[in-house]
């Protein structure tokens, strides 16, 4: 039972008199002795309430987040007792000692005064704690014995490492001579020369976890940044030789994440979770500048080689550049799409890099060296499949090594940002990376307490000798396909054995983190299909395929330059859906443009149908298709994305302030979505020579049952077509729709011609028709004359459907069979027809020929749908975004709203609009409408004649 409200009522009779939301019990009529005991208890309780013990925790929890010495909203701070009593600029002292109910602080909490505090969307002060505040004010609101910040009185318990476990390593740095290094732990820094043996020196007594450690340029001192979350942050300066603590740089209100020496060793920059960057004079500890320009925690800092500019990487997804002399902001680099954890300048001072939770490495050309200027984007490289937590540059500036949350460690060349090497999967997260001066080596320190030194490049002398594959008997496979079995070791480029293609290679990803490489030879322009068969045979392998150069470098497939930024609005997207891509700035996008989001590339297929709908992406139905070998992903609400333009590999686009993505030949899941989690990669050799194909598990898993079969062969582009609407029942004088759905294979995107021949007497079809290039569906109408006779079995069997396409200049034909059993149905309840609208200038009527409508890309015309009601009085629905049946891609029925095209009850006509988008291709195509009544009835088709775009007027 909570006695606080009862205690308060002893001193404030009006408390019990005010209405309460609910009451669980009523106080009984107590005897006088019990009442005296209660009064004594109440007096004791009141005496125990102090500002330090009882009031400060309430203010810290519910008020200090917005009302402190740094963020004093409405000029009001509760950080100290004096600041609280000073009040805001408008209301003055919020406390009236002895009059709790008249105090503005209480009125605001109880919504009896404006503004209500805390805000409605923030946690509210519970009744019990409100009662304590009232009791303290009623008793006189006594001041504390020592008026200190309530934010500095937080008690944080010490958490010790479990017995038998190594303490986590959280920071690392090499001395300038490269002979010793420092590692950060909880509450201390250790100086070491190797991973084994005792520490040379321990610098202890630091508050909280050490988040960064750095040596001074002369190597005589080191700085360690640490702090306690929610309390304070500080950087401590130590003598390396003697281990003496020289000075502490404090004043931060939360944990410190970095402390950096300027190149001349005279200035120190510190920053952390409180978002404030401070510049200090090291010699005497004088604060030179306090910069508050970020909206999120500052995770990393870096001075440019001249020491005149400071870069800061923040949780607000930006890098900001500051002039050291006066703290002026020179630029905000806002292209990243996630929190930034690391930032650095290249040693030559020409570029700066950043990386973080968007899984990318961002590279800018550094131009704002003396004054404000736009620093153009050079690269935005998708680097890891998880957040990048740390990186560092080699001393010579040729290499960058990155560590990610998925325990991957990668080496990149600079400034081209090409992946040079993927190291073995780390046993735990590498929390810090430190480049060794005067050597191409990196130190990785991990959260499991381990550390390891890596070479920045693979020495040819250390490459293992190549191993041959073991050839198996062909078995049941085709005689022209070589059957091979993987032979370990083969996880290094030099170990990859040559594969004569076409070949099928059986292998196993074992142990976890294993990667299998195979070498094959190709001529420039040769097209290959690389396919994995694993998940389809119940293997737990989630494969990832990559094509590499012979030395292990990725082969660049395409350069995607972002030309328009956007993000997901209203809701996110799962990895399958093609519909309702609600995107910011959608009206500025065009059909057939590529949209890039978090490493996935899709293609826009159909416009939104208004403000409450979104784009459809290719193929327009079923599971969505991806492009350039990317994988379909789940996307979150507000996740950034870009309209991108594909450019040839090796292109250096003119910077436009938006990212540039360089995609290599790699694939996780089949982009066509038919092979499930198995990988399929289409590769065109950019030059003659040897290439490597690498197979691994995308999650870094493995085991003896992670088996797979890898196919390496020439591409076999092709198609198949499925007929929908077989066994049609057609009413006399009406029609039914027959759909043809293409399945395209291995890069074939050309048009497919469909012909229906030998139809029964009295029946006709809108044939031939075409599945357009890049599309998967076309619809024909099957019409029955008013005097048609039901066909017999022989007539049904005589029907032929033939699909033809040209692939590499050769006609490829597939017979699709018949339409099945064609029947005459009962008379139609409704028949519909397409007629000219009010404007007939674009309509051509020729006796015995379909009605012809002419329009150009970018033009909208009107037409009329007319219904004949035979035995139907309800509304006639003709579809929503799909109401334009068999229309050319990019031509659609416009302005139909969310309810679609319909003829309401009691009416027989409806005007509608046909719009040709800018991507509509010139040509002639039959088009019809479908009334969704009594099993659907289609109109007689009309002809849409799409003319070329009119040439633009040439200015004189």
């Amino acid at each position: 039972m909570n006695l606080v409200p009862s205690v308060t009522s002893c001193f404030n009779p009006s408390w019990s008199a005010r209405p309460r939301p609910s009451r669980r019990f009523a106080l009984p009529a107590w005897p006088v002795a019990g009442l005296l005991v209660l009064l004594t208890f109440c007096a004791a309780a009141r005496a125990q309430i102090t500002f330090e013990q009882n009031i400060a925790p309430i203010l810290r929890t519910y008020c200090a987040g917005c009302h402190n010495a740094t963020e004093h909203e409405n000029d009001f701070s509760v950080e100290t007792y004096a600041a609280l009593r000073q009040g805001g600029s408008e209301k003055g002292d919020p406390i009236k000692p002895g009059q709790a109910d008249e105090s503005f602080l209480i009125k605001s909490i109880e919504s009896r005064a404006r503004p209500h505090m805390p805000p409605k969307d923030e946690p509210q002060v519970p009744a019990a704690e409100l009662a304590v505040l009232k009791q303290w004010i009623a008793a006189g609101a006594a001041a504390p014995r020592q008026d200190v910040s309530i934010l500095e009185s937080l008690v944080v318990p010490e958490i010790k490492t479990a017995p038998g476990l190594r303490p986590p390593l959280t920071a690392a740095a090499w001395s300038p001579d490269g002979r010793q290094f420092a590692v950060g732990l909880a509450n201390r820094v250790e100086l070491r020369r190797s991973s084994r043996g005792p520490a040379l020196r321990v610098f202890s007594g630091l508050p909280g976890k050490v988040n960064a450690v750095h040596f001074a340029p002369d190597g005589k001192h080191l700085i360690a940044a640490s702090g306690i979350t929610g309390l304070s942050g500080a950087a401590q300066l130590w003598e390396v030789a003697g281990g003496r603590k020289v000075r502490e740089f404090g004043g931060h209100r939360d944990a410190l994440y970095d402390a950096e020496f300027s190149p001349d060793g005279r200035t120190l920059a510190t920053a952390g979770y409180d978002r404030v960057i401070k510049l200090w004079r090291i010699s005497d500890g004088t604060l030179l500048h306090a910069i508050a320009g970020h909206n999120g925690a500052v995770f990393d800092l870096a001075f440019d080689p001249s020491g005149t500019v400071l870069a800061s990487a923040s949780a607000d997804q930006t890098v900001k550049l500051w002039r050291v002399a006066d703290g002026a902001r020179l630029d905000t680099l806002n292209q990243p799409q996630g929190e930034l954890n690391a930032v650095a300048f290249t040693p030559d001072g020409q570029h700066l890099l950043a990386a973080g939770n968007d899984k990318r490495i961002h590279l800018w050309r550094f131009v704002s060296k003396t004054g404000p200027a736009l620093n153009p984007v050079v690269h935005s490289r998708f680097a890891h499949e998880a957040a990048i937590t740390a990186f560092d540059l080699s001393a010579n500036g040729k290499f960058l090594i990155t560590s990610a949350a998925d325990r991957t460690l990668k080496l990149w060349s600079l400034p081209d940002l090409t992946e040079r090497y993927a190291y073995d999967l780390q046993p735990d997260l590498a929390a810090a990376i430190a480049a060794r001066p005067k050597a191409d080596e990196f130190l990785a320190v991990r959260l499991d307490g381990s550390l390891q030194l890596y070479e920045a490049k693979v020495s040819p002398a250390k490459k293992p000798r190549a191993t041959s594959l073991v050839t198996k008997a062909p078995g049941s496979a085709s005689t022209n396909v070589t059957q091979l079995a993987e032979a370990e070791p083969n996880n290094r480029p030099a170990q990859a054995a040559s594969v004569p293609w076409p070949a099928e290679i059986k292998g196993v990803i074992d142990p976890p983190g294993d990667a299998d490489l195979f070498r094959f030879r190709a001529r420039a322009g040769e097209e290959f299909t690389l396919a994995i068969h694993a998940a389809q045979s119940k293997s737990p392998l989630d494969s990832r395929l990559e094509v590499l150069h012979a030395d292990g470098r990725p082969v660049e497939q395409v350069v995607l330059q972002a030309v328009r930024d956007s993000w997901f609005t209203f809701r996110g997207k799962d990895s399958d859906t093609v519909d309702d891509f609600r995107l910011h700035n959608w009206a500025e996008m065009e059909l057939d443009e590529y949209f890039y989001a978090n490493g996935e590339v899709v293609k826009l297929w159909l416009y939104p149908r208004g403000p409450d709908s979104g784009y459809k992406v290719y193929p327009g139905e079923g599971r969505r298709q991806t492009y350039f070998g990317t994988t379909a992903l789940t996307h979150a609400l507000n996740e950034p994305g870009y309209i991108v333009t594909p450019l040839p590999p090796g292109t250096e686009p003119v910077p436009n302030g938006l990212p540039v993505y360089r995609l290599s030949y790699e694939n996780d899941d089949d982009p066509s979505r038919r092979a499930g989690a198995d990988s399929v990669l289409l590769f065109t050799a950019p030059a003659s020579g040897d290439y490597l194909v690498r197979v691994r598990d995308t999650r870094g898993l493995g085991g003896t049952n992670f088996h797979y079969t890898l196919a390496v062969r020439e591409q076999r582009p092709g198609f198949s077509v499925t007929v929908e609407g077989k066994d049609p029942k057609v009413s006399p004088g009406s029609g039914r729709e027959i759909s043809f759905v293409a399945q395209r294979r291995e890069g074939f995107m050309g048009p497919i011609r469909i012909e229906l021949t030998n139809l029964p007497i009295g029946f006709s079809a809108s044939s031939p028709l075409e599945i357009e290039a890049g599309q998967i569906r076309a619809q024909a109408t099957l019409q029955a004359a008013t005097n048609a006779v039901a066909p017999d079995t022989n007539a049904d069997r005589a029907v032929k459907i033939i699909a033809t396409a040209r692939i590499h200049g050769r006609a490829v034909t597939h017979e699709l069979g018949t339409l099945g059993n064609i029947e005459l149905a009962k008379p139609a309840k409704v028949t519909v027809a397409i007629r000219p609208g009010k404007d007939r200038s674009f309509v051509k009527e020729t006796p015995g020929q379909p009605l012809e409508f002419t329009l150009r890309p970018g033009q909208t015309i009107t037409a009329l749908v007319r219904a004949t009601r035979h035995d139907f009085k309800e509304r006639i629905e003709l579809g929503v975004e799909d109401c334009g049946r068999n229309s050319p891609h990019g031509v659609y029925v416009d302005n139909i709203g969310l309810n679609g095209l319909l003829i309401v009850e009691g009416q027989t006509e409806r005007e509608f609009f046909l719009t040709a988008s800018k991507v509509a291709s010139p040509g002639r195509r039959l088009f019809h409408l479908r009334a969704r009544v009594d099993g659907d009835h289609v109109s007689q088709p009309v002809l849409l004649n799409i003319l070329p775009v009119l040439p633009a007027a040439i200015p004189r």
Side-chain angles (χ1 to χ4, degrees):
M1 166 174 115
N2 188 349
L3 289 177
V4 175
S6 301
V7 171
T8 308
S9 66
C10 298
F11 301 93
N12 188 357
S14 63
W15 168 266
S16 57
R18 288 196 305 273
R20 302 184 185 180
S22 63
R23 180 176 294 183
R24 297 184 180 179
F25 60 92
L27 290 176
W30 284 21
V32 176
L35 183 59
L36 291 175
V37 171
L38 177 61
L39 291 173
T40 304
F41 173 80
C42 293
R46 180 175 60 178
Q48 294 174 358
I49 294 180
T50 65
F51 182 84
E52 304 95 309
Q53 295 291 328
N54 308 98
I55 305 305
I58 299 174
L59 298 177
R60 184 168 57 230
T61 301
Y62 301 100
C63 308
C66 298
H67 300 283
N68 55 66
T70 303
E71 295 184 29
H72 40 283
E73 290 189 12
N74 296 326
D75 295 325
F76 179 43
S77 170
V78 300
E79 187 164 334
T80 64
Y81 176 84
L84 170 67
R85 294 302 303 273
Q86 181 179 346
S89 57
E90 297 181 1
K91 304 295 182 180
D93 190 348
I95 292 173
K96 290 187 176 182
Q99 302 179 53
D101 283 347
E102 298 304 317
S103 297
F104 177 77
L105 178 65
I106 303 302
K107 289 181 179 179
S108 177
I109 295 173
E110 293 182 338
S111 298
R112 293 187 288 118
R114 292 185 178 183
H116 171 79
M117 297 300 291
K120 297 293 186 181
D121 57 347
E122 297 289 340
Q124 302 298 298
V125 180
E129 298 187 7
L130 176 60
V132 172
L133 281 172
K134 287 185 173 184
Q135 185 175 340
W136 174 68
I137 297 173
R145 294 181 180 178
Q146 184 178 2
D147 192 12
V148 298
S149 169
I150 65 173
L151 298 179
E152 297 178 1
S153 59
L154 183 65
V155 178
V156 179
E158 181 181 357
I159 301 177
K160 297 182 178 180
T161 304
L165 295 179
R166 293 175 294 190
L169 301 179
T170 55
W174 283 95
S175 61
D177 59 10
R179 295 181 180 179
Q180 55 190 0
F181 60 88
V183 293
L185 302 91
N187 306 115
R188 70 182 189 275
V189 172
E190 295 182 359
L191 190 65
R192 302 184 184 182
R193 282 188 179 162
S194 69
S195 59
R196 299 179 180 179
L200 300 176
R201 184 164 290 104
V202 177
F203 308 91
S204 58
L206 284 82
K209 172 173 69 75
V210 175
N211 294 311
V213 60
H214 298 286
F215 283 85
D218 61 6
K220 295 181 181 180
H221 296 87
L222 64 80
I223 194 79
S226 64
I228 298 176
T229 301
L231 180 56
S232 62
Q236 294 188 2
L237 183 69
W238 300 80
E239 287 182 350
V240 173
R244 182 179 67 91
K245 179 179 174 181
V246 177
R247 183 169 290 109
E248 181 170 309
F249 302 87
H252 287 274
R253 297 184 169 276
D254 213 313
L256 209 61
Y257 285 115
D258 199 13
E260 292 276 353
F261 289 103
S262 62
D264 61 8
R266 298 179 179 179
T267 306
L268 182 73
T270 60
Y273 199 80
D274 65 358
R275 301 175 287 181
V276 178
I277 302 168
K278 295 189 177 185
L279 293 169
W280 310 82
R281 187 164 55 230
I282 295 176
S283 59
D284 58 6
T286 299
L287 178 64
L288 302 174
H289 303 291
I291 306 169
H294 278 291
N295 295 321
V298 180
F299 291 131
D300 198 23
L301 299 168
F303 282 94
D304 80 304
S306 70
T308 59
V309 176
L310 178 72
S312 54
S314 172
D316 64 10
Q317 306 181 18
T318 69
V319 171
K320 292 182 185 290
L321 301 179
W322 313 93
R323 188 162 51 207
V324 174
D326 56 6
R329 183 173 62 85
L330 303 178
D331 194 13
T332 295
L333 310 176
N334 57 7
Q335 292 83 10
Q337 305 164 32
E339 296 183 356
L340 293 173
N341 300 317
V343 65
F345 288 90
T346 54
D348 61 6
Q350 298 304 307
H351 298 89
L352 71 150
L353 300 107
N357 290 8
D358 65 355
K359 311 171 189 177
R360 296 164 179 77
I361 306 169
H362 302 273
L363 179 71
W364 294 270
R365 188 158 57 88
F366 177 42
V367 297
S368 59
K369 299 179 180 181
T370 57
L374 176 65
N375 296 271
V377 175
V378 178
H379 295 303
S380 183
R381 178 81 74 232
F382 186 83
H384 292 264
E385 294 188 4
I388 300 172
T389 55
F391 70 33
D392 202 5
L393 288 83
S394 61
N396 58 16
K398 294 182 179 180
F399 298 105
L400 175 77
I401 193 167
T402 56
S403 168
D406 59 0
R407 298 184 291 136
T408 53
L409 198 67
K410 293 185 178 182
L411 183 73
W412 308 81
S413 58
L414 291 174
D416 58 327
L417 268 185
T418 299
E419 183 180 337
R420 294 296 183 181
Y421 198 76
Y423 296 90
D424 292 337
L425 200 67
Q426 299 289 290
D428 204 338
L429 173 67
I433 303 294
R436 187 173 191 172
K438 304 178 182 179
D440 287 331
E441 293 178 331
F442 292 88
L443 178 69
V445 300
R446 310 183 184 109
L447 292 183
D448 63 358
S450 64
L451 53 87
Q452 190 168 347
L453 192 65
Y454 290 94
E455 291 185 22
K457 57 184 178 181
V458 179
S459 171
K462 296 184 179 181
K463 290 184 177 180
R465 181 174 57 86
T467 311
S468 299
L469 291 175
V470 180
T471 303
K472 288 187 174 181
S476 60
S478 174
T479 55
N480 65 342
V481 177
T482 305
Q483 300 290 302
L484 304 170
E486 172 206 7
E488 292 281 4
N490 63 344
N491 61 342
R492 305 288 187 191
Q495 298 171 320
S498 295
V499 175
W501 56 270
E504 290 184 353
I505 309 152
K506 294 187 180 298
V508 179
I509 297 299
D510 183 41
D514 183 28
D516 295 340
L517 288 107
F518 308 96
R519 186 181 303 272
F520 66 98
R521 180 171 290 275
R523 293 192 300 269
E526 281 187 321
E527 298 176 333
F528 291 84
T529 294
L530 309 171
I532 290 289
H533 191 95
Q536 297 170 84
S537 58
K538 308 303 182 183
S539 170
L541 175 68
D542 184 359
S543 61
R544 185 175 191 83
L545 272 179
E546 300 165 89
V547 176
L548 312 172
H549 287 288
D551 59 1
R553 292 178 295 112
V555 180
E556 190 167 86
Q557 175 186 186
V558 67
V559 177
L560 300 178
Q561 182 174 32
V563 295
R564 191 172 301 110
D565 61 344
S566 181
W567 59 83
F568 288 88
T569 63
F570 185 65
R571 61 165 66 93
K573 275 275 140 306
D574 62 24
S575 59
D576 290 333
T577 305
V578 301
D579 198 7
D580 204 17
F581 269 62
R582 303 201 188 186
L583 304 173
H584 177 66
N585 285 337
W586 68 268
E588 299 178 4
M589 301 176 186
E590 187 52 80
L591 301 185
D592 289 345
E593 288 186 323
Y594 293 102
F595 179 72
Y596 177 100
N598 196 25
E600 178 186 0
V601 181
V602 297
K603 196 174 181 180
L604 304 180
W605 186 77
L606 181 66
Y607 298 111
R609 313 309 298 162
D612 292 326
S613 65
Y615 272 99
K616 278 191 174 184
V617 300
Y618 274 81
E621 58 184 89
R623 302 175 71 187
R624 75 172 176 263
Q625 179 180 340
T626 58
Y627 292 81
F628 309 112
T630 59
T631 298
L633 303 170
T634 297
H635 303 286
L637 175 64
N638 296 326
E639 180 180 297
Y642 299 91
I643 294 296
V644 293
T645 299
L647 304 171
T651 302
E652 295 294 340
V654 176
N656 62 0
L658 293 176
V660 173
Y661 301 99
R662 297 181 178 273
L663 302 187
S664 303
Y665 280 104
E666 58 181 337
N667 176 251
D668 178 2
D669 297 340
D670 175 15
S672 70
R673 314 307 298 278
R674 291 192 292 271
D678 286 340
S679 305
V680 177
L681 187 59
L682 304 181
F683 170 66
T684 301
S688 298
D690 283 356
Y691 293 91
L692 302 174
V693 55
R694 179 162 58 191
V695 184
R696 50 183 169 172
D697 186 275
T698 191
R699 305 155 299 180
L701 304 179
T704 56
N705 61 333
F706 279 63
H707 55 80
Y708 65 88
T709 300
L710 167 66
V712 181
R713 55 175 174 78
E714 71 282 358
Q715 281 184 26
R716 300 170 187 166
F719 68 95
S720 61
V721 177
T722 302
V723 182
E724 295 179 353
K726 286 189 173 185
D727 301 324
K729 296 180 180 180
V730 190
S731 299
S734 183
R736 294 286 183 177
E737 184 177 87
I738 309 297
S739 290
F740 301 91
V741 183
Q743 187 176 89
R744 300 176 179 273
R745 296 194 304 270
E746 299 188 25
F748 171 66
M749 288 294 163
I752 304 170
R753 178 185 173 92
I754 309 292
E755 290 184 273
L756 288 83
T757 61
N758 299 340
L759 290 171
I761 296 174
F763 289 83
S764 62
S766 53
S767 170
L769 71 156
E770 182 182 85
I771 301 176
E772 292 179 274
Q775 306 303 314
I776 66 169
R777 183 180 289 272
Q779 296 101 359
T781 64
L782 179 64
Q783 302 284 342
T786 54
N787 60 349
V789 178
D792 59 18
T793 301
N794 290 333
D796 289 338
R797 291 176 178 175
V799 175
K800 286 187 177 181
I801 309 173
I802 298 174
T804 305
R806 298 194 70 83
I807 303 176
H808 294 323
R810 181 175 61 90
V812 178
T813 299
H814 297 304
E815 292 191 6
L816 308 182
T818 72
L819 287 176
N821 183 25
I822 303 175
E823 298 182 29
L824 274 178
K826 60 184 179 180
K829 294 182 177 181
V830 168
T831 54
V832 292
I834 301 173
R835 301 302 302 159
K838 297 177 182 178
D839 185 356
R840 292 174 174 260
S841 61
F842 44 79
V843 182
K844 181 180 180 180
E845 295 187 76
T846 303
Q849 298 295 321
L851 193 66
E852 182 176 336
F853 292 82
T854 300
L855 70 164
R856 298 180 186 272
Q859 184 180 9
T860 297
I861 63 174
T862 60
L864 192 72
V865 55
R866 180 175 296 158
T868 301
R869 297 176 179 269
H870 303 288
D871 186 20
F872 189 76
K873 297 181 180 180
E874 306 300 322
R875 67 171 51 191
I876 302 170
E877 297 180 350
L878 296 116
V880 190
E881 71 268 8
D882 61 344
C883 60
R885 310 303 293 173
N886 202 50
S887 58
H889 174 61
V891 178
Y892 55 95
V893 177
D894 205 355
N895 296 327
I896 58 174
L898 296 179
N899 293 323
L901 181 62
L902 54 85
I903 301 173
V904 298
E905 298 86 340
Q907 296 185 10
T908 58
E909 292 182 346
R910 166 75 183 270
E911 185 182 49
F912 66 95
F913 301 85
L914 277 172
T915 295
S917 72
K918 295 178 181 179
V919 306
S921 298
R924 299 163 68 86
R925 190 175 179 89
L926 291 173
F927 163 85
H928 62 272
L929 295 177
R930 180 181 60 177
R932 295 179 173 179
V933 176
D934 191 27
D936 294 354
H937 296 273
V938 298
S939 69
Q940 285 281 356
V942 300
L943 187 65
L944 295 182
N945 183 16
I946 312 301
L947 300 178
V949 178
L950 286 173
I954 302 176
R956 296 180 179 179

